[in-house]
Amino acid sequence: MSDTTRSHFQEELAGLERSALGGLELVASALDRALETLQNQDVELASMVIADDDRIDGRYLEVHQGILSLLALQAPVAGDLRVVAALLHVIKHVERMGDQCVNMAKLVPLDGHQPPADPRMLELIQRMGDQARRQVVQCGQAFARRDVEMAEDLVRQDDEIDRLNREVFHTALELGDEADRREWAMHMMLVGRCIERIGDNAVDIGEQTAFVVTGLFREFEDASHPVAAPPTA
């Protein structure tokens, strides 16, 4: 690959990276609106969140097709190839995050305009959403800066989302046996699951950051192989 060709390739690749990471900004905005929809039971805003997911899907197609076109024209070397491979994963996680925001918004019309909402539950959901938003922003910053330490910190933050999600579950159990109230609580449990998945996808993007920097893929936290408890005295 000539110097001119390589320079052009790297410019194209950098543009695709900016576009992929820009997709995280779209996710952050969608998450903000999905949370506002839940807090205010705004059915009209919910429909906007759902419709605007086309922008995230469009970004996915743009980046995905752009990378495939770039690969068809050039043969990237090791460092660039890692970025190419990582971006294919990143943009897929972006698209999945957008889908979770849509799933949250779709639950709002099911509860009607005045559901039997519980303030404790709404506060937990908001805290989960705020935490997930911070992770969405941070995973993009970590990738852009090639900052493995910042990427690994996403695991600590994700543990907080998991803790809050358990609180959502226990709060749902405490809301009583009234049918409408129980149904609303179940929907909030589903919302909690959506937010938890957004956090998981942010961690996955963090893992791609480590892959680009080190050339080795490793899961930051493998649920199938939990850390063993320390031996007792």
Side-chain angles (χ1 to χ4, degrees):
M1 187 185 296
S2 69
D3 290 343
T4 301
T5 303
R6 179 170 175 76
S7 177
H8 176 70
F9 174 88
Q10 290 183 324
E11 288 176 6
E12 291 288 321
L13 184 58
L16 288 168
E17 179 174 332
R18 287 192 298 271
S19 186
L21 297 182
L24 290 169
E25 296 176 9
L26 297 178
V27 169
S29 177
L31 180 55
D32 285 342
R33 286 181 298 160
L35 291 169
E36 181 182 348
T37 295
L38 289 161
Q39 294 294 334
N40 299 322
Q41 202 60 29
D42 190 331
V43 176
E44 183 176 349
L45 183 57
S47 66
M48 293 174 61
V49 173
I50 296 167
D52 282 353
D53 188 54
D54 287 345
R55 297 174 62 200
I56 297 176
D57 290 342
R59 184 65 61 96
Y60 167 79
L61 292 172
E62 172 193 331
V63 173
H64 193 270
Q65 292 174 358
I67 289 174
L68 294 182
S69 296
L70 200 59
L71 285 172
L73 296 173
Q74 306 291 348
V77 293
D80 291 336
L81 185 58
R82 290 203 298 270
V83 176
V84 167
L87 286 178
L88 286 172
H89 286 285
V90 168
I91 197 59
K92 182 61 178 176
H93 290 306
V94 168
E95 190 264 343
R96 288 173 177 171
M97 289 176 173
D99 286 347
Q100 296 299 341
C101 293
V102 168
N103 291 340
M104 292 164 62
K106 284 182 176 179
L107 290 168
V108 172
L110 301 180
D111 293 316
H113 290 281
Q114 293 183 324
D118 179 82
R120 293 174 301 161
M121 180 71 86
L122 290 176
E123 180 185 0
L124 286 170
I125 292 295
Q126 186 65 47
R127 287 168 60 191
M128 283 188 72
D130 291 343
Q131 180 63 55
R133 191 189 196 283
R134 285 191 289 271
Q135 287 181 246
V136 169
V137 172
Q138 184 167 319
C139 73
Q141 292 175 339
F143 193 97
R145 300 173 187 175
R146 305 295 192 263
D147 190 329
V148 176
E149 185 175 351
M150 180 183 284
E152 290 176 335
D153 180 63
L154 291 162
V155 174
R156 176 188 61 80
Q157 297 189 46
D158 198 50
D159 288 342
E160 176 64 10
I161 284 189
D162 292 341
R163 185 189 68 78
L164 289 169
N165 196 32
R166 289 192 294 272
E167 284 195 45
V168 166
F169 174 78
H170 291 302
T171 301
L173 295 180
E174 296 170 359
L175 290 185
D177 295 329
E178 182 185 344
D180 289 347
R181 195 169 176 81
R182 187 169 60 243
E183 182 178 11
W184 179 83
M186 290 176 63
H187 290 163
M188 292 305 101
M189 288 172 58
L190 292 174
V191 167
R193 175 60 177 162
C194 291
I195 297 174
E196 189 255 345
R197 289 299 301 139
I198 290 173
D200 287 346
N201 278 281
V203 172
D204 290 339
I205 291 175
E207 291 171 349
Q208 294 302 318
T209 299
F211 168 68
V212 169
V213 173
T214 67
L216 299 172
F217 178 78
R218 62 184 176 86
E219 292 187 352
F220 287 162
E221 192 173 59
D222 187 353
S224 64
H225 296 86
V227 177
T232 58

